[in-house]
Amino acid sequence: MTCSRFRTSRKSCPGRRDLGLLALRVGTGGVLAAHGAQKLLGWFGGGGVSGTAAGMEAMGYHPPKASAIAAGLGEAGGGVLLALGLATPVGGAAAAGTMAGAAAVHAPNGFFAQNGGYEYAAFLGFVAAGLSVTGAGRYSLDHALGHRLDRHWMVPAALVGAGAAALAVVSSRNKQVAAGQDEKEEE
């Protein structure tokens, strides 16, 4: 029996879906992990925690060092978890929440990345959230561990938790930015 889309159902050909999830997880997780390593470790031309903290402060995130560490951990940690397919709901939600914060910074520049917009951050966030919901597939540590760290209840809990945290952080940042603009206008 072949895995032709005309001859069998998807359930009789699970390897194709699982290979697709593996490619999506490793690719997206690798990109996120590399971005997080720039922030945390200064790898790949990044600024490390101190350089990222300076950037976070300039973008209105306070406290800047804690913000830099949180962003780095959300990207690196979430990316590694996605790439491995381990605790996929948590890894995907952490990455998606972090990308929501990045998208907020880029939103004033519009959608497209070539104009400094939020396109890239939004794309990474949506893919991470989608993987959180879909699961890692057969070729993952979650599957090998019997889905002990990938329970159905974890998906909404992780996404709601990450969404609430992202909303709080972005709201705080927006207040800091607005307060800074008010101070400039008064001068």
Side-chain angles (χ1 to χ4, degrees):
M1 185 181 270
T2 66
C3 263
S4 165
R5 64 184 166 136
F6 300 108
R7 296 182 189 196
T8 62
S9 71
R10 278 190 215 184
K11 288 184 179 183
S12 59
C13 192
R16 192 169 122 198
R17 179 184 67 89
D18 293 317
L19 281 173
L21 285 170
L22 175 66
L24 192 59
R25 281 191 359 257
V26 170
T28 304
V31 167
L32 287 162
H35 278 283
Q38 287 180 309
K39 290 174 178 63
L40 293 174
L41 305 169
W43 292 358
F44 313 115
V49 172
S50 61
T52 303
M56 291 293 208
E57 186 169 34
M59 290 182 271
Y61 284 102
H62 294 280
K65 184 174 181 180
S67 297
I69 293 169
L73 288 175
E75 290 178 2
V80 168
L81 290 174
L82 284 175
L84 295 173
L86 179 64
T88 303
V90 174
T98 304
M99 291 298 99
V105 169
H106 295 282
N109 300 323
F111 178 72
F112 292 104
Q114 73 258 24
N115 298 324
Y118 63 93
E119 171 186 20
Y120 184 62
F123 179 75
L124 288 173
F126 282 124
V127 171
L131 287 167
S132 181
V133 171
T134 310
R138 182 181 299 180
Y139 307 120
S140 67
L141 289 178
D142 279 340
H143 182 78
L145 296 172
H147 297 279
R148 287 187 197 105
L149 301 174
D150 180 18
R151 303 285 186 201
H152 291 294
W153 64 267
M154 292 176 180
V155 174
L159 289 172
V160 167
L167 181 62
V169 168
V170 169
S171 294
S172 173
R173 178 211 173 251
N174 289 345
K175 288 177 187 172
Q176 292 288 332
V177 169
Q181 289 174 348
D182 289 344
E183 288 176 13
K184 286 182 182 179
E185 289 174 4
E186 288 175 4
E187 293 175 356

